[in-house]
């Protein structure tokens, strides 16, 4: 007899990071947003169901989050609108979706931390908590200002006039094959260029929030450009191909600014554009572009509010 007992569902969004790159694992402030591309998971405690996932390395992630939560998520089906390698954190969305399905009563912060540990365990990459936190606790209409040192956060309204565009550079990489851990160690050791990026980037996050609160889009764009230069020259996580695309985006009509997003070493580019100027951006960069808007995180409703950052 068919029984639905024990069947669970989870759903979580991908994320963008507006600004605050390579500072989360140093306890800095970051400004990501959950976005309207989701991963959905369904699971049944039946060994007959195989894991079906197109998220790269999906099985390792499922095993790792199961170990973190003390549950074995057997028989899991994964459906995702988030292309792997798109820069929208498909892996964080998968982990948070599973956590929200298996332990919906969990505190969003605890869930984000469990998902961060699972990601580290599955990949060996010492990632920070930003991606999982945004997927768990982002809010529609808002960016999430997160202090990664204290895990205090607050929502910052995101203007309707802006679209968030994510450009695929076409240079794909698995984080485990990049010098991510090395950059982290260099920054932790206080290597001067790395440190200069971290300090200036944290200052830019605060300036960006200020500009958002004033609807000063030109300033937002200039901060993205400064962030890119810092990631390129001081943190050295860009590539010549990405630099060229970023400069094409800067020149596109309706584009306020753009920068390499996420871990870097290829990957994706974030651009903030005037609503309706997607075609001009696509024509300028000649690469696939995903235009997205802000969304609720998987644990957002259950964890209403947030504490002041
Ligand atoms: C990846 C990691 C995050 C963060 C960014 C860089 O996305 O998962 O924790 O460190 O890189 O800002």
């Amino acid at each position: 007899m068919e029984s639905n007992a024990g069947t669970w569902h989870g759903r979580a969004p991908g994320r963008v990071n507006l600004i605050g790159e390579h500072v989360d694992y140093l306890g800095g402030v970051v400004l990501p947003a959950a976005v309207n591309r989701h991963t959905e998971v369904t699971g049944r405690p039946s060994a007959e169901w195989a894991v079906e996932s197109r998220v790269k390395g999906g099985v390792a992630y499922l095993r790792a989050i199961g170990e973190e939560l003390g549950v074995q998520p057997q028989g899991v089906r994964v459906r995702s609108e988030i292309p792997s390698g798109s820069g929208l954190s498909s892996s964080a969305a998968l982990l948070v979706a599973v956590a929200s399905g298996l332990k919906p009563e969990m505190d969003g912060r605890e869930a984000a931390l469990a998902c961060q540990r699972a990601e580290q365990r599955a990949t060996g990459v010492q990632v920070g908590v930003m991606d999982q936190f945004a997927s768990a606790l982002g809010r529609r209409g808002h960016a999430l200002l997160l202090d990664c040192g204290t895990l205090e956060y607050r929502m910052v309204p995101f203007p309707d006039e802006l679209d968030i565009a994510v450009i695929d550079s076409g240079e794909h990489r698995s984080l485990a094959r990049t010098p991510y851990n090395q950059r982290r160690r260099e920054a932790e050791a206080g290597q001067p260029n790395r440190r200069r990026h971290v300090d200036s980037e944290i200052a830019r996050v605060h300036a960006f929030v200020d500009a958002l609160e004033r609807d000063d889009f030109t300033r937002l764009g200039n901060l993205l450009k400064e962030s890119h230069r810092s990631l390129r020259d001081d943190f050295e996580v860009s590539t010549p191909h990405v630099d060229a695309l970023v400069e094409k985006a800067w020149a596109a009509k309706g584009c306020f600014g753009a920068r390499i997003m996420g871990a870097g070493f290829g990957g994706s580019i974030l651009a903030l554009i005037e609503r309706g100027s997607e075609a001009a951006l696509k024509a300028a960069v000649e690469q696939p572009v995903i235009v997205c808007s802000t969304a609720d995180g998987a644990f957002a409703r259950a964890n209403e509010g947030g504490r002041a950052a």
Side-chain angles (χ1 to χ4, degrees):
M1 246 201 2
E2 252 318 301
S3 158
N4 280 338
T7 300
W8 54 272
H9 303 277
R11 182 172 185 263
R15 70 93 186 94
V16 291
N17 184 21
L18 295 171
I19 199 157
E21 217 67 88
H22 283 284
V23 302
D24 61 348
Y25 47 75
L26 295 164
V29 284
V30 294
L31 190 71
V35 294
N36 61 343
R37 297 291 190 287
H38 293 84
T39 293
E40 280 185 52
V41 292
T42 305
R44 286 209 305 195
S46 148
E48 287 158 36
W49 279 41
V51 172
E52 291 174 21
S53 166
R54 283 174 39 222
V55 177
K56 249 187 232 143
V59 179
Y61 286 107
L62 291 167
R63 204 168 285 143
I65 187 61
E67 280 164 21
E68 285 300 330
L69 299 177
V71 191
Q72 200 38 261
Q74 285 176 340
V76 179
R77 277 189 186 164
V78 181
R79 283 188 41 226
S80 187
E81 308 161 340
I82 311 173
S84 194
S86 62
L88 296 178
S89 279
S90 55
S91 58
L94 172 61
L95 292 166
V96 175
V98 173
S100 75
L102 286 172
K103 298 254 170 117
E105 72 292 347
M106 211 172 173
D107 171 71
R109 265 177 243 244
E110 294 304 323
L113 289 170
C115 292
Q116 176 196 17
R117 289 192 301 270
E119 174 121 25
Q120 294 180 340
R121 190 195 279 254
T123 62
V125 182
Q126 295 306 304
V127 294
V129 75
M130 169 172 75
D131 303 343
Q132 299 77 16
F133 210 98
S135 178
L137 286 164
R139 288 304 297 212
R140 187 168 175 207
H142 296 84
L144 186 158
L145 178 63
L146 170 66
D147 181 327
C148 300
T150 62
L151 294 192
E152 297 200 333
Y153 63 101
R154 79 173 165 95
M155 298 301 156
V156 181
F158 188 80
D160 286 341
E161 299 92 326
L162 290 182
D163 271 338
I164 298 168
V166 178
I167 304 162
D168 178 358
S169 75
E171 276 184 339
H172 289 251
R173 78 289 176 254
S174 131
L175 263 197
R177 298 217 182 82
T178 68
Y180 181 99
N181 286 343
Q182 186 193 330
R183 287 291 181 284
R184 178 175 173 151
R185 281 194 301 273
E186 291 161 355
E188 282 168 343
Q191 205 260 26
N193 289 359
R194 308 296 185 240
R195 200 60 233 182
R196 186 164 61 211
H197 164 71
V198 171
D199 293 341
S200 64
E201 184 77 353
I202 289 172
R204 280 187 289 272
V205 173
H206 293 298
F208 196 94
V209 169
D210 186 63
L212 268 182
E213 285 169 346
R214 292 165 199 268
D215 279 343
D216 186 345
F217 302 157
T218 307
R219 177 109 182 90
L220 291 180
N222 286 336
L223 287 161
L224 291 183
K225 293 178 189 174
E226 284 170 29
S227 174
H228 183 77
R229 292 190 189 100
S230 179
L231 288 159
R232 180 190 66 193
D233 301 335
D234 284 344
F235 218 72
E236 295 179 276
V237 290
S238 192
T239 69
H241 173 65
V242 168
D243 293 339
L245 286 174
V246 164
E247 287 183 24
K248 285 183 184 171
W250 288 352
K253 192 163 181 298
C255 177
F256 292 103
R259 63 172 191 81
I260 190 164
M261 182 175 72
F265 313 105
S268 62
I269 295 158
L270 167 89
L272 289 182
I273 60 175
E274 204 175 307
R275 179 140 292 178
S277 47
E278 180 185 344
L281 182 69
K282 278 191 179 153
V285 298
E286 298 177 283
Q287 285 291 124
V289 174
I290 297 177
V291 172
C292 40
S293 51
T294 56
D296 280 336
F299 288 84
R301 282 183 204 293
N303 293 252
E304 216 45 67
R307 284 187 292 164

